[in-house]
Amino acid sequence: MMGTGTTGHGPNSLWHARDGHDTTGRLLRAATGSGARLIAEAATLVQGWAVLADPIAGAVYSAPAAAAADGVHAAAAPHDHPYSVQLPAAGAVLVLAPAPTTPAEHTGHVAATTAALLEVRGQRAAELRGEQMRLHTTLLRLLLAGHADAVVDALGGGAYTHVTVYRLTGEDTPAAHQVLWRAVRPTLAPHADACTLLGRLDGELVVAEVHRGSDDGRILRLVSRLCERHGLLAGMAGPLPLAEMSTAYCDAAAARHSATPAHRIVPADAIGAPRLAPLLPAAPYARWAAAVLRPLDPAQQHLLLVWLRTGSKPSAAEALGLSAGTVRARIREAARLLDADLEDATVRAHLLLALRAPAPADAAADAAADSDADSGSDAAADAASGSGSGSGSGEAALRNAGEARLEALPAGILDTGAVRAWAGGLVDGLEPRLRIALTCWLRHHARTAPAATELHVHRTTLTTWLHQCADHLAQNLADATVRAEIHLALRITRCGPDAPADLPRRGGRTYRRA
C-alpha cells in the first residue's frame, strides 16, 4: 500500500541520481547504529515525520515522538492519510509523511531504502532470535526451580525483586510468540527498570516480567492485544516476590482456566478471592479458618487452592506441573489430615473460603477498628434474637482447634443482613426447575451426566437449563470459584429441599413454569 504526498515540480525541485546516492549513504550509516536512528534519518530526509508501526506494540520507532499516534493511525487506516507513504517492513508498517515541498521521487526512494534496511535488520535479528529465545527459556526454568539470585545475576544484577507472570494458550501460540517478541523487544541490559522473559514451556507461551516491585502495565496491554488478535486465553499472576515465582506460575494457570473468548485474560486475584469472603464477620471467620487449616502446611494449602480454583484434578496437575496421580494422592492425604469429605460440594466451598480467609492478626485489627461502631448494634441484635450466649460459646469453642470443622461454618456467620442480601441478589428470581437443576448439577461438581440421571432429564435438556441459569445469573458457570459461591448462595436462600423429586412436572418428561 502506498500513497504519495503533494510535491513541487518546479526547476528547483528536480531529484537527481546523485541525490539518491547521498540519501542511500546517509540511511546506511544510520542503519548501522539502530532502528531508531534509521527512522530519525528518514524523517529528516523527507523533512516530515516517520514512524514504524506494529499492530501489537503500536509505534516501535517514531521521529519525532509526537508523531507516534498519527503513524499508528495511518498504518491502520491508510485511506485517511492520502499524503503519507506506507510500506510493509520487518513485520510492521513504515509510515512516512513528507513535507509538501519534498519531491515524490525522493520520498519514494527514502521509503524503499528505509524499508529494505529495516528488513535486513529484521533478518539479522531473526538469526540471533533463536539463541536469545533459548536463553530466555533457560532463565524461566531457573526461576521456576528457585534460582532467583542466579537469574538476577544473569540479568546484570538490576536489583529486581518481583515478578508478574502470564501463561497463554491457543492454536496460534507459535506465531503469537514471534509477534510478542518483536513487540516487546526483550533485552537483558543491566540496570533497566524491568526485564521481560519470553519462552514456550510445554506448549504454552510464558511471559515473566521481572521488575522492582512496580508494574507499569505495558506488558499487560501487549498481552491483551495479542490475545484478541490471535485468539489466545491467558492467566496473569503477580506482582509477587521473585522467590514465589513457582506460586505465580501455578496461579496464572489456575486463572487461565477461567478465561473465556469474552474475557481472554484473567488476573489470578479475580478468581482467588470470593466475593462472599469480605462480607463475613472477620474475627470468627479468621479464627475458624486458621483452626481448620492448622493440620496443613503451606504447600498443601496451595495445592488445594489451585485444585479448587481450576475445578478438577487433571487441571490442577497441569497448573502445578505434577502428574494427575500425584495430585490425587496429595488431595487424599489432605482430606485425611482435615478429617473431611472433600468430595462434598459444601465442604469444598467452605474449604475455598478457609483458604482465602484473612490472617487472624489482620482480622483482629479489623475487628478492633470496628468494635466501637458495632458494639451497640451487636448487643441489641443478640438481645433480640436471644443468641448472645450461644454466639459467645461458639467463639469459645472455636478456640479449641479440635472443634472447628469444614462441614460447618461458625454459628451465625452466614446469618447476617449483608450475606443474605448478597445471596438473594445472586440467585433470587430463578424458576423452581432451574434452581433445582442448578443445585443438583453443583452437587455433582458440574458433571452433567450424573446430574441429568438424578433429575431424570436428558443431558441436552439439562445443558439448555444451565445456559438459562448462566444468562439469568449473569455468571460464568465454567469458573469453579463462581460455582462455589452460587452453591453457598443457594443454600443460604433455600426455603425447601431443592430436591430432584420436587422438580415441577406435567406428565411424562415435560415441565411447567411456576
Side-chain angles (χ1 to χ4, degrees):
M1 52 187 171
M2 186 169 181
T4 57
T6 58
T7 61
H9 293 287
N12 296 329
S13 64
L14 295 177
W15 182 77
H16 301 286
R18 182 170 181 177
D19 296 325
H21 180 75
D22 293 342
T23 296
T24 301
R26 291 177 61 177
L27 291 172
L28 278 171
R29 287 190 294 273
T32 59
S34 66
R37 284 181 57 184
L38 176 58
I39 295 299
E41 188 65 35
T44 300
L45 288 169
V46 299
Q47 301 178 31
W49 54 261
V51 174
L52 182 64
D54 184 273
I56 298 295
V60 181
Y61 305 118
S62 177
D70 291 335
V72 173
H73 186 267
H79 297 296
D80 295 342
H81 297 265
Y83 300 110
S84 65
V85 177
Q86 298 98 23
L87 286 177
V93 178
L94 172 65
V95 182
L96 292 181
T101 57
T102 303
E105 297 89 340
H106 179 66
T107 299
H109 179 71
V110 171
T113 304
T114 303
L117 291 173
L118 287 170
E119 290 286 355
V120 172
R121 288 183 57 86
Q123 291 174 6
R124 176 56 179 162
E127 293 173 359
L128 301 175
R129 190 176 300 157
E131 188 64 31
Q132 291 175 330
M133 286 182 173
R134 286 190 288 272
L135 175 59
H136 277 235
T137 301
T138 299
L139 292 175
L140 284 172
R141 293 190 183 280
L142 285 173
L143 276 179
L144 289 172
H147 303 293
D149 292 340
V151 172
V152 171
D153 289 342
L155 298 179
Y160 301 117
T161 58
H162 288 72
V163 63
T164 303
V165 179
Y166 305 83
R167 293 179 68 173
L168 300 86
T169 57
E171 295 182 358
D172 208 15
T173 300
H177 187 192
Q178 299 290 336
V179 171
L180 188 60
W181 185 278
R182 290 197 303 268
V184 174
R185 303 193 306 278
T187 65
L188 304 183
H191 309 301
D193 291 334
C195 179
T196 304
L197 301 176
L198 303 175
R200 290 176 62 196
L201 303 179
D202 302 322
E204 294 182 348
L205 176 56
V206 179
V207 183
E209 186 182 16
V210 183
H211 47 81
R212 300 174 182 174
S214 60
D215 186 345
D216 62 5
R218 172 175 172 263
I219 300 301
L220 174 59
R221 291 189 293 272
L222 292 177
V223 170
S224 297
R225 292 182 211 152
L226 189 77
C227 289
E228 292 296 333
R229 184 172 292 270
H230 292 270
L232 306 182
L233 300 179
M236 166 191 172
L240 287 175
L242 265 177
E244 299 181 27
M245 169 68 180
S246 59
T247 300
Y249 185 74
C250 297
D251 288 350
R256 191 190 61 235
H257 283 278
S258 296
T260 65
H263 300 88
R264 292 192 174 275
I265 180 167
V266 177
D269 55 8
I271 65 165
R275 282 166 286 183
L276 173 59
L279 303 177
L280 302 180
Y285 170 36
R287 286 197 296 268
W288 167 80
V292 297
L293 296 177
R294 190 165 297 158
L296 304 179
D297 60 33
Q300 290 171 318
Q301 293 184 29
H302 182 253
L303 182 142
L304 290 176
L305 182 59
V306 172
W307 169 51
L308 293 173
R309 285 161 58 176
T310 56
S312 71
K313 297 180 180 69
S315 297
E318 178 187 353
L320 293 164
L322 302 172
S323 69
T326 299
V327 170
R328 292 190 186 96
R330 293 183 181 179
I331 290 175
R332 285 196 300 270
E333 174 62 15
R336 185 189 66 81
L337 293 173
L338 293 170
D339 190 22
D341 178 14
L342 297 186
E343 294 304 313
D344 183 82
T346 302
V347 170
R348 289 192 189 184
H350 290 174
L351 178 57
L352 184 58
L353 283 178
L355 290 166
R356 277 309 185 192
D362 297 337
D366 293 340
D370 297 337
S371 61
D372 293 339
D374 296 342
S375 58
S377 59
D378 289 345
D382 289 342
S385 63
S387 60
S389 60
S391 175
S393 62
E395 292 188 8
L398 279 175
R399 296 188 184 97
N400 184 349
E403 295 188 21
R405 299 186 57 80
L406 278 173
E407 288 80 354
L409 292 170
I413 198 172
L414 296 180
D415 193 18
T416 66
V419 171
R420 290 196 170 276
W422 165 82
L426 184 59
V427 300
D428 276 357
L430 278 175
E431 297 180 26
R433 64 185 176 93
L434 297 181
R435 182 183 176 99
I436 292 171
L438 182 58
T439 299
C440 181
W441 181 70
L442 293 173
R443 189 168 62 251
H444 286 281
H445 307 301
R447 290 177 295 184
T448 302
T453 299
E454 185 178 356
L455 290 165
H456 296 289
V457 299
H458 195 276
R459 282 174 292 177
T460 303
T461 301
L462 178 56
T463 300
T464 301
W465 290 357
L466 292 173
H467 285 313
Q468 294 174 2
C469 290
D471 292 340
H472 178 85
L473 301 173
Q475 298 289 330
N476 175 21
L477 296 183
D479 190 321
T481 300
V482 170
R483 294 198 300 268
E485 289 192 341
I486 293 175
H487 175 79
L488 290 176
L490 288 169
R491 290 179 62 85
I492 293 169
T493 60
R494 183 172 59 188
C495 298
D498 286 338
D502 297 328
L503 192 66
R505 301 179 184 271
R506 185 178 58 191
R509 298 170 68 84
T510 60
Y511 303 87
R512 67 174 182 269
R513 294 177 180 270

